[in-house]
Amino acid sequence: MEGQWADRSHWGDWFPVRERILQDAELSDDTLLLVDISAGKGHDLLEFKEMFPDLLGRLVLEDLGSVVKAMGRDERFAENGIQMVSFDFFKEIQPVKDARVYYFKFVLHDWPDEEVKVILNNLKPAMKPG
Ligand SMILES: C[S@@+](CC[C@H](N)C(=O)[O-])C[C@H]1O[C@@H](n2cnc3c(N)ncnc32)[C@H](O)[C@@H]1O
């Protein structure tokens, strides 16, 4: 499975990131740019940073506490300024508020619709209109 995932192109290759996410936003170093919810090993965020090295704004990796703890040993995250946050999407309201992008990859398909509603309802209060 990991091999198959590694083979896929990054979403930054086909999604118009600059036009839809970076342009028209007043970005600064303090802006919360992208929260990768249930990021797993965080490869997606590291690659994103590599693809857009000039971008301003904070990147956040979220996952269950045990996963974040294991990831914390990997120095690449600190080196790239990626913040790590423990988060259980069933039990907590999204703690990182007003980010420009909340991103789920290979996550929602794992759960039945009723559980997905819980996950999305726990995200909703963190999002600001627009
Ligand atoms: C299939 S992996 C996807 C990982 C990553 N997004 C990727 O594309 O490689 C699913 C992720 O969901 C996380 N997860 C499972 N239950 C969770 C929960 N209750 N709260 C937050 N994350 C959870 C797992 O730890 C795992 O990292």
Side-chain angles (χ1 to χ4, degrees):
M1 230 176 143
E2 295 231 339
Q4 285 226 1
W5 288 0
D7 231 17
R8 286 169 189 250
S9 68
H10 189 278
W11 60 279
D13 281 331
W14 49 264
F15 186 81
V17 171
R18 290 196 186 277
E19 293 80 359
R20 298 290 300 277
I21 298 177
L22 305 180
Q23 203 169 291
D24 298 333
E26 288 181 18
L27 300 179
S28 72
D29 281 335
D30 292 331
T31 309
L32 278 160
L33 186 65
L34 171 63
V35 182
D36 190 349
I37 304 173
S38 303
K41 293 183 176 171
H43 46 87
D44 227 283
L45 278 177
L46 289 168
E47 219 174 307
F48 184 81
K49 183 80 192 196
E50 213 175 287
M51 294 172 97
F52 303 98
D54 57 326
L55 60 80
L56 294 174
R58 287 152 59 194
L59 305 179
V60 180
L61 178 157
E62 284 186 345
D63 211 300
L64 291 169
S66 54
V67 179
V68 167
K69 199 171 161 195
M71 290 299 99
R73 292 187 208 111
D74 186 332
E75 288 168 5
R76 288 176 303 164
F77 295 105
E79 283 165 12
N80 283 284
I82 296 171
Q83 185 189 346
M84 302 203 171
V85 174
S86 301
F87 174 55
D88 185 325
F89 52 47
F90 288 126
K91 297 185 180 155
E92 299 163 69
I93 301 288
Q94 172 58 241
V96 180
K97 311 288 185 208
D98 297 343
R100 189 143 171 81
V101 178
Y102 293 95
Y103 174 68
F104 291 99
K105 182 176 152 212
F106 294 141
V107 176
L108 300 179
H109 72 287
D110 276 342
W111 304 98
D113 288 356
E114 286 311 308
E115 264 122 319
V116 170
K117 283 185 198 163
V118 174
I119 295 171
L120 295 177
N121 279 326
N122 280 338
L123 171 59
K124 227 166 26 176
M127 299 175 81
K128 70 175 174 201

